[in-house]
Amino acid sequence: MDRGIRRQVQDLDEELLRLGKDGQYMDAVSLGERARQLADEHLPAEDSLRLTVLDHLAVCHFFNGEYVTSEKILEEEISIRRQQLPADDPSLSTTMVRLGLCKVRQKKLQDGESMLRKALEMREKALLLGHLNITTSQWALADCLIQQGNALEAYPLLEECVRKVFVTIIIYM
């Protein structure tokens, strides 16, 4: 594989991130699509750079309000990662949370809940108690439950999130 192509993909991805951090998601999507095209043409499907581009592009589509497109990209990414990793590998959980959030935004609430529950379970098994990724998963799941009218199940999750944030604030004061 041509190192120049790989460098081009990396450069496009870095610029995509910069634009995304500045909130310029439409421009970031344009660059991300170009990076994806190059990666699809020249990198193996399971290449880590290609998967990174997919992930970043999906996030930009999400923040651009393009949830269907983001969902499709994340499903492709997770499908490839599942071929490489054990089914319960915690590194899958970030993509699963993003996919769950896409489903929630599209009002596919049961699918979103299922994805968010699996991601939370993976994170709880793999990460230390109180880890921020567990808290974000709890918050996302609680939001989904509330949207389904299940505030009673969401309440303990939200209470735990608030407790963790409060403890973190005290620790870092």
Side-chain angles (χ1 to χ4, degrees):
M1 193 230 357
D2 182 358
R3 286 193 182 273
I5 296 288
R6 186 170 192 82
R7 185 71 227 161
Q8 271 185 287
V9 173
Q10 287 173 326
D11 290 346
L12 288 167
D13 186 61
E14 288 172 12
E15 182 65 10
L16 174 157
L17 284 175
R18 188 190 67 71
L19 290 169
K21 286 178 183 177
D22 289 343
Q24 299 176 37
Y25 301 114
M26 291 177 83
D27 294 335
V29 163
S30 178
L31 283 178
E33 292 295 350
R34 177 69 183 126
R36 181 182 185 181
Q37 180 184 1
L38 283 172
D40 286 351
E41 291 172 5
H42 300 283
L43 301 176
E46 68 281 356
D47 186 280
S48 63
L49 177 57
R50 183 176 177 278
L51 292 171
T52 297
V53 167
L54 288 176
D55 191 62
H56 294 162
L57 179 59
V59 169
C60 287
H61 277 293
F62 180 89
F63 283 113
N64 219 21
E66 300 164 348
Y67 307 121
V68 172
T69 303
S70 182
E71 178 183 17
K72 287 177 184 174
I73 294 169
L74 290 167
E75 285 174 344
E76 178 184 350
E77 178 189 348
I78 209 164
S79 172
I80 294 166
R81 289 189 189 278
R82 281 185 170 150
Q83 292 171 18
Q84 301 172 314
L85 302 167
D88 62 346
D89 191 293
S91 66
L92 293 169
S93 67
T94 299
T95 307
M96 292 172 70
V97 168
R98 290 181 177 147
L99 185 54
L101 291 171
C102 280
K103 291 178 183 295
V104 170
R105 289 290 176 107
Q106 296 173 75
K107 301 300 182 194
K108 299 177 184 178
L109 298 174
Q110 289 181 334
D111 291 343
E113 178 187 347
S114 175
M115 188 65 61
L116 292 168
R117 281 189 189 280
K118 288 176 193 171
L120 175 58
E121 182 181 304
M122 291 166 75
R123 287 177 168 184
E124 287 176 332
K125 285 181 183 176
L127 301 173
L128 294 174
L129 185 66
H131 193 284
L132 182 60
N133 285 346
I134 293 173
T135 306
T136 58
S137 292
Q138 289 171 320
W139 192 270
L141 178 57
D143 176 60
C144 180
L145 292 168
I146 289 168
Q147 289 188 48
Q148 293 179 75
N150 196 349
L152 287 176
E153 189 177 354
Y155 181 79
L157 292 168
L158 292 173
E159 188 175 50
E160 179 68 13
C161 291
V162 170
R163 187 187 63 73
K164 288 177 188 174
V165 169
F166 182 71
V167 168
T168 303
I169 289 169
I170 290 176
I171 289 171
Y172 291 103
M173 287 179 86

